[in-house]
Amino acid sequence: STGSDYDTLRSAAASRCSERRIPIIRDFIFGIEAESLQKRISQVTGTYLFVEYSTITSTVDEQVDVKTDAMHVAVTVAAPQNTDQDQAAELLNQDRCLEVLAAIRREMRDDIDGDAVRWMRFPTSIQPFVAKALANSMGWTMEFDVAGVDIV
């Protein structure tokens, strides 16, 4: 892709590479289109962060005329697995991914900025992630809502 918006986004992302809070995460993948995601994840060799976004719900408090939006987000920490791994190796990989996801949740909970956006609204849910079609990936997924006043 090209264009000034693309160039700005790419430059901003590249400049933040040295600021990684969790160094074990080697790749960052986001999107909603299955084929594109499958292609990207098939090229990953280490632990990756996969962000999915879906439903946006809007409500209006008519007493104060304020619209609030909530976007459902799923954050997955996973890694491709060798098909010949034994259960102990799978357990260790799953444990490592869960530790990373828990660290992300702590960072997000503690990362309060001055905006009117709540980057992680509780409750959250965490469940195992197993996707043979995505490079035989295993890990953990956390689901939550991002909420704020008129964010969409």
Side-chain angles (χ1 to χ4, degrees), residues 10-12 23 31 45 55 70 78 91 104 144:
R10 187 142 175 95
S11 294
T45 58
T55 306
L91 175 69
I104 290 169
F144 56 94

Side-chain angles (χ1 to χ4, degrees), residues 31-32 50-58 69-76 108 118-127 141-148 151-152:
I32 56 174
F50 171 37
V51 178
E52 294 176 273
Y53 39 92
S54 62
T55 306
I56 299 171
T57 306
S58 299
D69 299 312
M71 180 186 323
H72 192 72
V73 177
V75 174
T76 299
M108 289 183 73
R118 291 174 56 196
W119 292 106
M120 184 173 54
R121 184 169 70 179
F122 284 90
T124 64
S125 65
I126 297 177
Q127 57 272 346
T141 298
M142 175 175 62
E143 293 187 42
F144 56 94
D145 287 337
V146 174
I151 59 175
V152 176

Side-chain angles (χ1 to χ4, degrees), residues 48-152:
Y48 63 90
L49 178 68
F50 171 37
V51 178
E52 294 176 273
Y53 39 92
S54 62
T55 306
I56 299 171
T57 306
S58 299
T59 58
V60 175
D61 181 342
E62 293 181 12
Q63 293 178 344
V64 290
D65 193 31
V66 173
K67 179 175 81 72
T68 302
D69 299 312
M71 180 186 323
H72 192 72
V73 177
V75 174
T76 299
V77 174
Q81 307 297 307
N82 293 328
T83 55
D84 61 348
Q85 280 187 327
D86 63 16
Q87 287 182 324
E90 283 183 14
L91 175 69
L92 291 171
N93 286 326
Q94 284 289 89
D95 190 51
R96 185 172 25 261
C97 288
L98 184 57
E99 286 177 14
V100 171
L101 190 59
I104 290 169
R105 184 168 69 169
R106 282 190 300 276
E107 289 271 343
M108 289 183 73
R109 185 183 59 221
D110 295 342
D111 192 15
I112 299 171
D113 56 17
D115 295 341
V117 177
R118 291 174 56 196
W119 292 106
M120 184 173 54
R121 184 169 70 179
F122 284 90
T124 64
S125 65
I126 297 177
Q127 57 272 346
F129 174 82
V130 178
K132 293 201 180 289
L134 299 177
N136 199 38
S137 293
M138 295 177 74
W140 290 89
T141 298
M142 175 175 62
E143 293 187 42
F144 56 94
D145 287 337
V146 174
V149 174
D150 210 13
I151 59 175
V152 176

